[in-house]
Amino acid sequence: MTTSPQQVDYSKSLKLPRTGFPMRANLPSREPGWVQRWLTEQVYETLLAKRRAADAPTYIVHLGPPYANGNFHLGHTLAYGLKDTIVRHKFLSGFASPYVPGWDCHGLPIEWKIEQELIAAGKTKRDLSVTELRDRCRAYARQWMEVQQAEWQRMGVLADWARPYRTMDRANEAGIVHCLGQLVQRGMVYNKLRSTLWAPVEETALAEAEIEYQEDYKSTAVYVALELVDRPNEYLVIWTTTPWTLPANRAVAAKADEEYALITVKERKFYVANHLAEKFYSTCFVEEPLLRLDFPKFIGSQLVGLTYHHPLYADRTGTVYHGDHVTTDSGTGLVHIAPAHGAEDFALGQAHGLELACPVNGSGRYEAYVEEGLPAGLTLAGRSVLDKQVIRDICATLERNGSLLHSSSYTHKYPLSWRSKAPVIFRTTHQWFIDLDEATVPETGKSIRSSALDLIHARSGNRGVHWQPENGENRIGAMIAGRPDWCISRQRAWGVPITIMVDKATGEPLTDPAVWAHLEALVARKGIDAWDTRLSGKEAELFPQGWLQAHGKTPNDFTYVRDILDVWFDSGTTWHHVVKADSAAGQRFHRTDGKRVADVYEEGSDQHRGWFHSSLLTSVALTGDAPYESVVTHGFVVDGQGRKFSKSLGNGVTPGELLDKYGMDIIRLWVGSSDYAEEVRYSPAHMEAAADQYRAIRNALRWVLGNLPEGGGEITTVAESALPELERYILHRLGTVLAEARAHYDAFAFHQGVRTLQTFINTELSNLYFDVRKDTLYCDRADSPARMACVYALEQIFRGLATHLAPIIPFTTDEAWRSRYGEGACVHLEEYAKGPNVAEPSGFEDLLGLRNAANIKIEELRATGAVGANTEVSLTYPKELEGFFSTELIRLVCNVSAATAGTELKVTKHSGHKCPRCWRYYNTLEASGLCTRCEDVVNG
RNA sequence: GGGCUAAUAGCUCAGUUGGUUAGAGCACUGUGUUGAUAACGCAGGGGUCGUAAGUUCGAGUCUUACUUGGCCCA
C-alpha cells in the first residue's frame, strides 16, 4: 500500500448536497422575470378556476382603490404586500379568493393637476368645457394607473390584472348613480345651506386643502358701537377685521361666564370685556379723559338676551347670545355675528334660527337687496366686498351715524385661494347632504347613524363587524357617533355628477325609480358627460322616453344640480358595484354562503375616517348591513426612531430604491416580521436585518433541496412505524409548527407566524436536525433505511416550509418549488402542506437537555484545544438514561463519534482512529482504512 | 384642544385571568469547522420592562399623572 488512506479524496463517494437553487438570490434582477412568468402562465386565473372547480368556499378581500396620481410610496408597498399575503394565505388554505385591483380616479387632486397644467400654459379651466376638462383628467388618471399598475405588479401581487376596476369606468359611474338614486328614493338626501370657504375669483367653494395663508395680510379693523334697544346711550362694542360683513350682522355673541365692564365716556356707556377694557379705551379714546376707573361689572350671561340696533339698518335689531367660541385675547369680548360669513357664526345662527342666506353672490359682490334700508349715501349692490373703497364707504357711513369708534389697518393671517392667491371669504351656499339621523333605514327601522353604530358595536342583535385591532371599534364608533351629516356635494368638474333633478314646483328631488333607472342606463352608456346634455339644451334626454308627456312636464319644470359627488362616495360604494353586483351576476366575486359582501377590508388606520367609514354609511343606508365581515388595519411606515417620514427630515425612501437593492421578498419579509397593527419602522438597518433573515431561510431551503431529487424526482414514502425516533420527533415538530404558524396567519398575525417558522428553521432544523443528519445523508448508502427516512422527512419539511412561506416570500418559494418539482409546477397553485401526523416520541425533551449539557462540556474541552469538531469527541452519559434512549440515538443527537453509559456526563477526546471518509472516530477501522459502514458503501 | 393608540435587551417581537432569578430569533463577542463555505455548528455577554406616584402580601401585567411617538379631527 503506497497511498495512505488519508490522502484519498473520498468526497466524490459522498452524496453531498447538490442543487440548481443558488445560494445568492439576485432578487432585484430576477423577480421581474417571475412577475412576467406568473402573468404569462395566468397563475391567478388558473388558481381561481381550480378552487372554483373544487367548489371551494369564497373569501373576498376587497381592495380600497389607490388614488390614480403619483408613484407608489413605501406605505403602498406595505399595504399591498399585506393584502397580497392575506389573499395568498386564503388561497393556500383552500379558499377561492378573488382579488381585483382597482383605482380611485375622480376628485380634486387630479383636477388640480390639470388646472396647474392649464395655468402653466397661461390658461384657466374656463377656457375648456367641462367635458374637455374631464377628458384631460381622465387621460391623466389613465397615465398614472399604468405607472402604478407596473409598480404594483412588480410586488408580485396575485390578482385579476386582466380586469381591474376604475371608478371612472362607465359601469362604475353608473353604479355610483344607482347608489345615489337609491338614497334619494329612500328620502335620505336633502339640501340645505352651509358655511363654505369661497373663492370669489374662481367662483367656487374650496376645500381646506386648497387654502393657503398669507401671514401679513392687511385688513381694516373697526370698533363699532351698537346701541341697545330701550337703553339709550348704552352700547355693545364689537370689533371686526371684516367690516364688509356688517350688513349681514344678525347677532352679537358674548361669553356667559366672562366678566364685562361698563365704561362711561362722556355721556356714553360701553360694554366690553373687562380684560380688554383698557386696551379698548386707549385705542378709541386717546384724547378723552377717563371719567371713572371703577367700572360696574357684569358677567356675560347678564348681557345675553339684550337687543341692539343694527349700525347700518335703522329698522333692524339684533340679539346677544352666548357663544362658546368667544375669546378675550383680542377685540372686545363681544363678537359680531354674521351667520352668512363664518363657520361659527353659521352654527350660532342655525342654533338660534337667524337668517342664514348669504347677501353676497358667487363672485363676491353684494346682492341688490342689501341696499334696501341702508342710510342714504351708501350704495353696496353689485360692489365687491373686498374692494377697499367699499370698506371705506361703510366706515364713512358708520362714522356719520356715530357707530364707528375707531378704525385702523390691521395685519394678520388670512386665507387665500391656492390657485389665484386671492383672498377667500366665508359664504353660505346650498349643499347636498346624506341625512344620518332623520331618515329611516327600512331594513333596520332606525336612522343610518344608529344602524351603523349597532353594527360597529354588535348591538341590537347584530352580528358585529370584527375590528382588528380591536380598538378600531372605538375609533370608528366615536367618529360615526360624533360626525355631522355627510355633505356629498362639491362644486367641481372631475367627478360623478349629482344627477338630481329638482321639481321647481315642489322644491323636491325627483324620486321616480323609472327616471333614476334611465339616468343609470344613460351614464352606463355614455358616461358622466351624459348629464351635461343640460348644457346643450337636451335635458329631455335625461328623462325616459315619454315620461315628460305622461307627467305633463317639460324640462323647464326642473332644475338640474350642477354639483358633483364627494369622491369618498365613489370609493364608498365600490362594495356595491364592484363586488355585490358582480357576485349577484354569478361572476368572479360569486358567493353563496350568505356572508356579507366582503370578508375583509384591509387598509391603513387613517381609513377609519375614510374608506371604512364611507363604505359603512352607504352600505348601511342602502342595505341595513355592513359591507364587510372584518376590518383589518395597519399602521404607517415611520423611520428608525419612530418618526413619520417627511421631506423636511429627509428620511424618505422610495420602494424603487429598496427593490433595486434588496428585492421584494426581502421587503415582504421586513413587513412580515413587523407587527403592522401599530407603526411599522423602517431604516436601512431594518432592511439589512430582513436580508439576514432571508439568507437564513434561503440557505435552509437550499440545503434541503440539495438533498432531494430535482425536477420532480420521486421519493419513497416511509410509514410512521418505520421512522427512526429522530424523524418522528422532527416531523411531529413540523406538524406542530405549521399548525401554529397557520393559526397565526388566520388571525392576521403574520409576524407571529413568520417568527414561528423562522425559529423552527434556525433552532430545530439548522442547529439540530440538519446538523445531526448530515452524516446519514452524505455517507450512508442511498437506500439505507435511515437515509430514506431522512429524505422522506426532508421532503415533508420542504413542502411544509415552502407552502407556509409562500404568502410571505412568493418569489423565493416558487423558485424553490420549481427547482424541486420541475418548471411546470408552481407553489402558488398548491394548498398548505400540513406534514404527516406523527406522534411525539416520549421524553425527547430530556434528550435535548442532555444535548445542551453535553455541548457545554464539549465547549469547555474545545477551549483547552484538545478537540475541534464534535466528531473528535467521545461521550459518557449517565446510566439512568439507559433504557429510555438507545446509545446510538444519544450519540446521534449529541453529534459525537461515540457514546457509552457511565456514572455521569463526561466528554473526552476520542482515542480511536478517524475514518477518512466520514470523519467519525472508531476504535478500529477496516483494512482499507475506512470504517465498516463506509467500507460497505464504497467497496461493498 | 378632542378621539383612538403605542412605549419590554442594539433590532424585530413573546410575555395567558397580577405570583418564584422577564423569554425567543436576529445582531454582537469568542470559538470550531471548511463535505450547506459570500455558508454551517457551539458557547457567551446584553433588558428591571418610557418616567413618577398609587392599589396590592406581591405588578412588565391594574389605576392616575407625565414624557416621547403615530393616525384622525378641531
Side-chain angles (χ1 to χ4, degrees):
Chain A
M1 211 193 271
T2 53
T3 318
S4 75
Q6 281 76 7
Q7 289 170 322
V8 177
D9 178 11
Y10 283 103
S11 64
K12 290 195 175 59
S13 75
L14 301 171
K15 291 185 175 49
L16 297 178
R18 264 186 38 206
T19 173
F21 183 79
M23 176 179 284
R24 303 206 59 185
N26 284 321
L27 298 177
S29 59
R30 296 181 61 209
E31 283 175 347
W34 282 98
V35 169
Q36 273 316 309
R37 186 170 188 168
W38 290 336
L39 290 172
T40 307
E41 293 176 359
Q42 302 198 302
V43 170
Y44 171 83
E45 289 79 1
T46 307
L47 180 54
L48 189 59
K50 187 173 171 181
R51 293 287 183 270
R52 291 281 195 229
D55 218 10
T58 295
Y59 190 94
I60 297 170
V61 177
H62 179 42
L63 173 87
Y67 196 70
N69 180 15
N71 294 95
F72 278 165
H73 53 67
L74 211 47
H76 289 104
T77 314
L78 169 70
Y80 298 132
L82 212 45
K83 278 187 269 280
D84 183 55
T85 294
I86 296 173
V87 170
R88 287 179 186 277
H89 166 60
K90 289 300 171 181
F91 267 126
L92 282 155
S93 299
F95 288 89
S97 188
Y99 183 61
V100 177
W103 278 275
D104 202 8
C105 307
H106 298 128
L108 200 54
I110 287 178
E111 197 173 332
W112 268 13
K113 286 285 180 186
I114 300 305
E115 280 189 53
Q116 262 184 320
E117 289 177 10
L118 288 170
I119 290 167
K123 295 180 181 174
T124 78
K125 66 176 177 179
R126 291 194 194 154
D127 294 330
L128 298 181
S129 70
V130 171
T131 307
E132 286 169 329
L133 185 66
R134 285 179 184 157
D135 283 345
R136 290 212 187 190
C137 291
R138 210 170 272 124
Y140 183 89
R142 199 169 284 129
Q143 162 211 325
W144 276 109
M145 283 190 275
E146 273 177 36
V147 171
Q148 292 185 349
Q149 175 160 327
E151 294 174 329
W152 207 340
Q153 289 180 328
R154 172 65 186 81
M155 298 179 201
V157 168
L158 186 69
D160 196 348
W161 292 110
R163 290 185 299 162
Y165 76 89
R166 306 170 187 88
T167 57
M168 70 182 195
D169 287 343
R170 287 179 179 182
N172 210 289
E173 291 172 338
I176 294 166
V177 168
H178 174 86
C179 290
L180 175 66
Q182 289 294 306
L183 287 170
V184 171
Q185 290 167 56
R186 287 179 163 223
M188 294 166 165
V189 177
Y190 71 97
N191 187 286
K192 71 167 185 184
L193 280 167
R194 182 195 206 194
S195 181
T196 44
L197 271 168
W198 189 272
V201 173
E202 294 94 329
E203 296 196 39
T204 180
L206 296 181
E208 188 59 44
E210 298 172 276
I211 301 295
E212 58 183 47
Y213 289 88
Q214 182 179 334
E215 292 294 331
D216 57 351
Y217 185 80
K218 284 189 172 49
S219 295
T220 299
V222 294
Y223 281 95
V224 180
L226 309 174
E227 187 167 26
L228 290 172
V229 173
D230 301 330
R231 292 198 196 179
N233 289 328
E234 283 190 23
Y235 298 83
L236 303 168
V237 182
I238 58 162
W239 179 81
T240 177
T241 58
T242 52
W244 62 266
T245 62
L246 286 170
N249 175 280
R250 298 286 166 181
V252 165
K255 192 148 197 171
D257 55 0
E258 185 66 34
E259 197 173 48
Y260 290 86
L262 183 60
I263 305 179
T264 304
V265 183
K266 292 186 177 166
E267 70 282 6
R268 300 212 287 179
K269 297 174 178 175
F270 301 100
Y271 288 95
V272 294
N274 196 34
H275 273 81
L276 297 155
E278 281 201 38
K279 187 181 174 206
F280 157 72
Y281 189 84
S282 61
T283 305
C284 296
F285 303 105
V286 187
E287 293 159 13
E288 300 283 344
L290 188 57
L291 293 188
R292 42 187 307 180
L293 291 164
D294 55 332
F295 317 125
K297 306 291 194 301
F298 300 85
I299 58 162
S301 56
Q302 289 176 281
L303 304 182
V304 169
L306 296 177
T307 55
Y308 62 89
H309 294 288
H310 194 280
L312 293 172
Y313 297 98
D315 60 343
R316 198 189 290 173
T317 59
T319 307
V320 180
Y321 298 102
H322 163 70
D324 268 326
H325 67 288
V326 174
T327 60
T328 53
D329 25 290
S330 64
T332 62
L334 291 168
V335 176
H336 149 61
I337 299 294
H341 300 300
E344 285 146 342
D345 303 52
F346 180 83
L348 195 116
Q350 200 174 32
H352 297 289
L354 305 178
E355 170 68 50
L356 302 175
C358 187
V360 174
N361 71 15
S363 55
R365 294 167 188 281
Y366 287 110
E367 300 280 8
Y369 70 80
V370 174
E371 200 128 321
E372 293 168 28
L374 281 181
L378 181 60
T379 55
L380 293 178
R383 298 179 72 188
S384 168
V385 301
L386 293 169
D387 182 344
K388 295 289 180 195
Q389 189 55 47
V390 167
I391 309 287
R392 279 194 285 272
D393 288 354
I394 289 174
C395 288
T397 304
L398 293 172
E399 181 121 48
R400 276 199 297 280
N401 68 21
S403 303
L404 187 73
L405 300 179
H406 186 261
S407 78
S408 62
S409 176
Y410 183 76
T411 303
H412 61 144
K413 198 166 99 173
Y414 194 84
L416 306 182
S417 162
W418 172 84
R419 269 172 304 269
S420 63
K421 312 298 180 193
V424 302
I425 61 175
F426 275 101
R427 233 185 125 232
T428 50
T429 53
H430 282 277
Q431 302 291 344
W432 291 90
F433 293 84
I434 294 179
D435 188 332
L436 300 183
D437 294 310
E438 300 301 323
T440 301
V441 178
E443 290 81 1
T444 63
K446 295 182 174 183
S447 70
I448 296 173
R449 190 192 309 275
S450 88
S451 306
L453 289 171
D454 283 349
L455 287 158
I456 290 169
H457 300 299
R459 290 180 192 143
S460 308
N462 271 292
R463 186 162 47 95
V465 171
H466 170 72
W467 304 97
Q468 181 154 329
E470 288 176 10
N471 60 51
E473 176 182 338
N474 292 336
R475 189 163 177 178
I476 196 170
M479 285 177 191
I480 296 281
R483 65 158 298 155
D485 281 354
W486 181 2
C487 178
I488 56 170
S489 51
R490 297 289 184 273
Q491 290 68 53
R492 289 285 152 187
W494 181 225
V496 177
I498 295 183
T499 53
I500 289 178
M501 297 182 260
V502 178
D503 189 328
K504 287 177 181 169
T506 63
E508 293 297 321
L510 207 47
T511 57
D512 189 329
V515 173
W516 279 97
H518 175 76
L519 286 168
E520 188 183 335
L522 194 64
V523 170
R525 211 165 58 245
K526 296 185 174 179
I528 53 176
D529 292 334
W531 181 250
D532 296 311
T533 51
R534 63 183 158 72
L535 297 175
S536 53
K538 293 182 186 168
E539 290 86 351
E541 289 181 9
L542 300 176
F543 298 89
Q545 192 101 45
W547 190 92
L548 286 166
Q549 296 87 319
H551 290 76
K553 299 277 191 183
T554 72
N556 282 335
D557 291 326
F558 299 93
T559 54
Y560 304 86
V561 175
R562 302 179 57 118
D563 300 339
I564 61 163
L565 281 163
D566 175 11
V567 70
W568 282 109
F569 194 87
D570 289 24
S571 55
T573 50
T574 54
W575 59 267
H576 169 264
H577 33 274
V578 176
V579 187
K580 192 179 188 182
D582 174 285
S583 177
Q587 299 296 304
R588 52 190 174 168
F589 282 117
H590 191 50
R591 88 181 311 162
T592 55
D593 51 15
K595 292 209 290 185
R596 292 180 180 131
V597 176
D599 287 273
V600 65
Y601 273 34
E602 196 289 328
E603 284 298 332
S605 61
D606 56 332
Q607 298 302 326
H608 286 108
R609 186 71 191 182
W611 191 52
F612 305 142
H613 190 115
S614 58
S615 298
L616 179 66
L617 288 180
T618 61
S619 176
V620 165
L622 296 180
T623 71
D625 200 2
Y628 35 64
E629 297 286 342
S630 296
V631 168
V632 179
T633 59
H634 60 264
F636 279 59
V637 180
V638 295
D639 73 10
Q641 279 74 51
R643 280 159 219 279
K644 66 176 165 188
F645 283 104
S646 70
K647 282 176 186 160
S648 59
L649 285 173
N651 55 2
V653 63
T654 65
E657 293 169 52
L658 297 184
L659 286 168
D660 288 347
K661 185 163 182 191
Y662 297 99
M664 190 62 200
D665 269 2
I666 288 174
I667 296 175
R668 292 178 68 123
L669 199 55
W670 158 61
V671 173
S673 307
S674 304
D675 180 1
Y676 58 80
E678 292 301 322
E679 298 83 56
V680 176
R681 291 190 180 202
Y682 164 81
S683 73
H686 285 82
M687 213 48 64
E688 290 296 336
D692 284 342
Q693 284 185 63
Y694 174 83
R695 274 192 287 274
I697 293 172
R698 186 175 180 93
N699 270 311
L701 288 173
R702 179 166 184 265
W703 186 82
V704 175
L705 285 170
N707 290 293
L708 290 171
E710 291 192 285
E714 301 273 333
I715 59 125
T716 308
T717 299
V718 180
E720 181 179 354
S721 58
L723 287 172
E725 276 184 295
L726 188 57
E727 272 64 31
R728 295 220 304 273
Y729 172 74
I730 203 67
L731 287 177
H732 169 262
R733 286 294 304 144
L734 176 73
T736 306
V737 162
L738 296 180
E740 197 181 318
R742 198 167 153 184
H744 285 311
Y745 287 178
D746 278 334
F748 304 111
F750 297 105
H751 69 293
Q752 303 221 49
V754 170
R755 205 163 53 98
T756 301
L757 294 171
Q758 190 120 33
T759 302
F760 178 66
I761 290 171
N762 291 330
T763 62
E764 300 191 74
L765 294 180
S766 278
N767 297 6
L768 176 69
Y769 184 68
F770 292 173
D771 213 41
V772 164
R773 276 304 185 206
K774 279 176 191 170
D775 177 74
T776 310
L777 285 165
Y778 299 173
C779 304
D780 270 21
R781 305 184 72 103
D783 59 353
S784 89
R787 191 174 190 283
M788 286 175 72
C790 181
V791 168
Y792 169 72
L794 289 179
E795 167 80 353
Q796 303 307 319
I797 289 165
F798 176 73
R799 295 183 67 86
L801 290 183
T803 54
H804 285 73
L805 287 167
I808 310 295
I809 46 172
F811 292 101
T812 303
T813 47
D814 204 26
E815 182 190 356
W817 197 262
R818 294 186 197 220
S819 171
R820 168 71 185 91
Y821 299 109
E823 291 304 316
C826 175
V827 73
H828 304 302
L829 296 175
E830 300 293 320
E831 290 189 31
Y832 282 127
K834 295 175 184 162
N837 188 13
V838 177
E840 183 178 20
S842 64
F844 224 83
E845 281 184 12
D846 295 337
L847 188 56
L848 295 176
L850 176 69
R851 173 184 149 92
N852 284 338
N855 272 334
I856 291 169
K857 294 241 183 240
I858 292 169
E859 193 60 26
E860 287 166 5
L861 189 61
R862 185 176 289 132
T864 67
V867 299
N870 275 30
T871 46
E872 295 176 41
V873 173
S874 179
L875 174 91
T876 307
Y877 61 86
K879 271 199 186 77
E880 301 87 81
L881 289 173
E882 271 191 314
F884 290 102
F885 309 107
S886 69
T887 296
E888 175 58 11
L889 182 61
I890 291 172
R891 186 197 69 75
L892 207 56
V893 165
C894 294
N895 219 14
V896 292
S897 275
T900 47
T903 52
E904 58 175 2
L905 180 63
K906 207 168 72 182
V907 294
T908 52
K909 179 172 169 58
H910 197 290
S911 56
H913 313 281
K914 180 183 182 182
C915 168
R917 182 168 175 274
C918 68
W919 297 342
R920 252 181 78 182
Y921 280 69
Y922 297 87
N923 290 329
T924 57
L925 295 173
E926 299 293 321
S928 61
L930 294 174
C931 70
T932 310
R933 185 258 317 252
C934 289
E935 169 70 21
D936 179 52
V937 175
V938 176
N939 303 319

